[in-house]
Amino acid sequence: ERVLKIQPDLITLGILEETYRYQEDWPNLARIHQLQGELSSDSEEKTKFYVQLGQLYEEKLKNAQQAIGWYHKAFQESPKDLSILHKLQELYAQANDQQHLLECYRKELDWPLEKQDKLNICQKMADILLAQNRLADCAEIYEEMVLLSPGGQSIYQKLGAIYQKLNQPEKQLHTLA
């Protein structure tokens, strides 16, 4: 610990990491991972430490908000890592943070996914928006689904029902054509 105050380096931090892990001293292990992430110049290494921090806060320290913060930082460092995005989705769902969950789903839709996977994500988004009575936003999602699957009758039916609730008969007619 004294060496850290004089000149922190990754070798010393690695030794302290193992010590704190063995002692199950989770708060100090979190502090060491944070320092490791800050000192690392490699993006992959930073991501690794930030993910470890997320896991530590989630599993050992039982602090979901801190875990989300570290996973978010890891995703910012590695925005092409879908596993981190999925972890954020899981934590936002557990925290019932629908707005951030919707944002994560939207980010996932930008990935090159199979058509059915995109439809499943859109359906999750539509379910959240319907539960929040955000019908216009939900209609936009169903419109996206129509573009993905033009022959999907159930999508047209759901979209038509939303347009009926929104009192938009001209758009509702479009779903019947």
Side-chain angles (χ1 to χ4, degrees), residues 93-146:
Q94 288 172 3
N96 201 27
D97 186 342
Q98 304 298 320
Q99 190 56 42
H100 284 108
L101 183 57
L102 285 168
E103 290 171 15
C104 283
Y105 286 147
R106 178 59 65 198
K107 286 177 186 173
E108 188 173 1
L109 285 175
D110 292 336
W111 288 65
L113 302 172
E114 297 290 324
K115 179 176 78 169
Q116 190 57 50
D117 292 334
K118 286 189 179 229
L119 286 169
N120 291 342
I121 293 166
C122 285
Q123 187 58 59
K124 290 177 189 179
M125 292 174 73
D127 291 344
I128 291 169
L129 293 167
L130 273 176
Q132 295 176 345
N133 203 33
R134 292 171 53 190
L135 299 179
D137 293 331
C138 187
E140 287 180 24
I141 296 297
Y142 280 125
E143 290 284 357
E144 287 182 45
M145 292 173 75
V146 165

Side-chain angles (χ1 to χ4, degrees), residues 26-27 29-39 45-58 61 63-78 84-85 87-88 91-92:
W26 309 129
L29 182 59
R31 185 174 54 82
I32 294 303
H33 283 320
Q34 185 174 354
L35 286 170
Q36 288 169 315
E38 290 170 3
L39 288 177
E45 281 290 309
K46 281 183 181 292
T47 300
K48 179 186 85 166
F49 292 125
Y50 296 156
V51 166
Q52 287 175 343
L53 275 160
Q55 291 169 337
L56 192 59
Y57 275 101
E58 179 188 9
L61 296 170
N63 186 329
Q65 287 306 311
Q66 285 281 0
I68 287 170
W70 287 110
Y71 281 117
H72 188 265
K73 194 164 184 156
F75 188 69
Q76 287 177 319
E77 195 67 39
S78 293
I84 299 171
L85 188 61
K87 187 51 142 171
L88 282 167
L91 291 170
Y92 286 136

Side-chain angles (χ1 to χ4, degrees), residues 153 156 160 171-177:
Q153 280 304 108
Y156 281 106
K171 288 187 176 181
Q172 185 182 7
L173 281 174
H174 169 71
T175 65
L176 300 174

